[in-house]
Amino acid sequence: MEMNKRPRRLRRSAGIRNLVQETRVDIADLVYPLFVVHGENIKKEITALPGQYHFSVDRLIEEVSQVVNLGIQAIILFGIPAKKDERGSEAYAMDGIVQQAIREVKKHYPDLVVISDVCLCQYTDHGHCGLIKDHEVLNDESLDLIANTALSHAMAGVDIVAPSDMMDGRVAAIRQVLDKNNFSHIPIMSYSVKFASGFYGPFRSAAKSSPQFGDRKTYQMDPANGREALREAALDIEEGADILMVKPALAYLDIIHQLKTTYNMPLAAYHVSGEYTMVKMAAKEGLIDGEKVMVEILTSIKRAGADMILTYFAKDMAEWIRRNTL
């Protein structure tokens, strides 16, 4: 080996490694998901998501206080309604659980970026992301309800709406209704590339949103398709999306990279519940160093091209960054 070709020279010490490190996850890159439920004085750990909780609105503020103190600048809210119906009525009710949570969080922490998940699946009794007829998920007929959900969140004071339903045309429908009601300043973070993934199980348990029949393969993407991901993103950009998202993240690093190199748009990646729980469970069994694997995974997502990462590890990662910042 030629003596002038020795990559190990730049690995000799922590200081040198830090100087040449190419990718860093910053606290400002992290978005923390939170689950909100009706009731009072509720903080109940979610069995399928170790370290994550269902919060009533009054207890949510305690958690948000910790988030803010860690330097995390954004959260995304998911609501679990008191009752469900075939139209998902609480999703767009002005006194719905997410709407209540938005108002309360913004009252205490006006500078925190509050993102709201916009979908019907948690709120419908059938567990699908749109209206149903003869066991078929209706696309166009669902758009008004999805758009009205986004509008109700904007009226409650949300900073960004994030439609996750994967109905065709929902970004345009949301943009139209927001603009019509003087909310043209509200950005849309679109779940542009959301795959029909097996990694969503713990979330569906936490949100009580599993489909009561069939699956979501008729509207979420086939995990085998990459070119289709580019087409989906292009459509959302055309319809007015401000931020694109890929979900899940870890199994789709190639898709994240393709979107980053193809479109000059802010890009989010959702490191989802199954990806999180696998690490937690393996660490609990002593099979891996959970913290080390967390850092490695989130760094890989950032390296692939994500500008922001939605992750249940946000608090843990923020604490790690603080401890390891020189």
Side-chain angles (χ1 to χ4, degrees):
M1 181 175 184
E2 295 182 31
M3 297 303 291
N4 64 342
K5 295 178 180 177
R6 290 190 179 273
R8 286 185 58 189
R9 291 184 184 125
L10 299 181
R11 303 173 191 154
R12 289 189 63 247
S13 69
I16 293 174
R17 291 192 297 272
N18 285 329
L19 281 173
V20 300
Q21 185 173 334
E22 299 174 15
T23 305
R24 285 184 173 86
V25 179
D26 297 320
I27 295 177
D29 300 331
L30 304 171
V31 180
Y32 192 42
L34 289 165
F35 295 90
V36 194
V37 298
H38 288 281
E40 295 181 353
N41 196 31
I42 296 171
K43 180 183 178 181
K44 182 178 180 181
E45 187 168 21
I46 301 166
T47 303
L49 280 169
Q52 305 302 308
Y53 297 83
H54 287 133
F55 294 99
S56 53
V57 172
D58 56 326
R59 297 294 300 275
L60 177 67
I61 301 306
E62 299 171 19
E63 183 74 358
V64 172
S65 175
Q66 293 183 29
V67 169
V68 171
N69 289 336
L70 284 168
I72 296 169
Q73 298 177 27
I75 61 172
I76 183 167
L77 294 173
F78 297 91
I80 294 89
K83 60 180 181 179
K84 305 186 180 193
D85 59 40
E86 63 180 8
R87 296 178 63 83
S89 300
E90 193 175 317
Y92 43 89
M94 286 309 300
D95 61 347
I97 187 60
V98 166
Q99 291 82 350
Q100 292 180 40
I102 293 167
R103 287 191 288 267
E104 191 69 12
V105 171
K106 294 303 288 186
K107 181 171 70 176
H108 288 83
Y109 297 100
D111 295 330
L112 180 69
V113 177
V114 178
I115 306 166
S116 63
D117 179 77
V118 176
C119 198
L120 302 179
C121 61
Q122 293 112 276
Y123 305 92
T124 55
D125 54 15
H126 47 73
H128 280 285
C129 303
L131 297 174
I132 297 294
K133 183 177 181 181
D134 298 329
H135 279 202
E136 180 182 351
V137 181
L138 303 177
N139 192 98
D140 295 2
E141 293 84 346
S142 302
L143 296 182
D144 283 347
L145 299 186
I146 293 163
N148 286 335
T149 300
L151 177 60
S152 71
H153 294 174
M155 294 174 72
V158 83
D159 295 293
I160 300 173
V161 294
S164 61
D165 53 280
M166 288 297 285
M167 296 296 113
D168 294 339
R170 89 275 201 211
V171 172
I174 291 170
R175 186 74 273 158
Q176 182 177 15
V177 78
L178 290 178
D179 292 356
K180 182 179 178 181
N181 287 274
N182 299 316
F183 290 106
S184 59
H185 59 284
I186 298 295
I188 298 173
M189 173 191 286
S190 177
Y191 289 62
S192 300
V193 182
K194 181 177 179 180
F195 291 92
S197 172
F199 285 103
Y200 301 148
F203 175 91
R204 290 180 181 176
S205 176
K208 301 177 174 62
S209 63
S210 295
Q212 297 305 299
F213 65 89
D215 53 40
R216 295 179 179 150
K217 292 181 179 179
T218 63
Y219 46 103
Q220 294 179 359
M221 279 188 52
D222 185 337
N225 291 359
R227 294 191 301 273
E228 184 184 2
L230 298 178
R231 296 197 297 272
E232 282 278 8
L235 287 170
D236 282 1
I237 294 169
E238 183 181 337
E239 291 178 19
D242 301 282
I243 302 169
L244 306 177
M245 188 197 298
V246 175
K247 180 182 180 183
L250 187 56
Y252 300 93
L253 296 178
D254 60 322
I255 304 300
I256 295 170
H257 182 68
Q258 287 182 55
L259 262 65
K260 186 63 175 181
T261 56
T262 303
Y263 303 113
N264 185 25
M265 295 281 292
L267 181 59
Y270 201 141
H271 180 240
V272 299
S273 60
E275 296 169 325
Y276 166 88
T277 299
M278 287 193 303
V279 176
K280 284 289 189 178
M281 294 300 188
K284 183 179 179 181
E285 294 298 319
L287 301 174
I288 61 172
D289 180 329
E291 185 174 76
K292 185 176 181 179
V293 171
M294 169 192 73
V295 175
E296 188 173 345
I297 288 172
L298 297 183
T299 301
S300 76
I301 296 168
K302 180 74 178 290
R303 188 182 65 243
D307 299 299
M308 60 203 83
I309 305 171
L310 289 72
T311 176
Y312 303 95
F313 276 128
K315 287 173 62 180
D316 294 342
M317 187 65 186
E319 290 173 351
W320 183 90
I321 292 169
R322 284 190 159 201
R323 291 199 313 271
N324 290 275
T325 299
L326 296 176

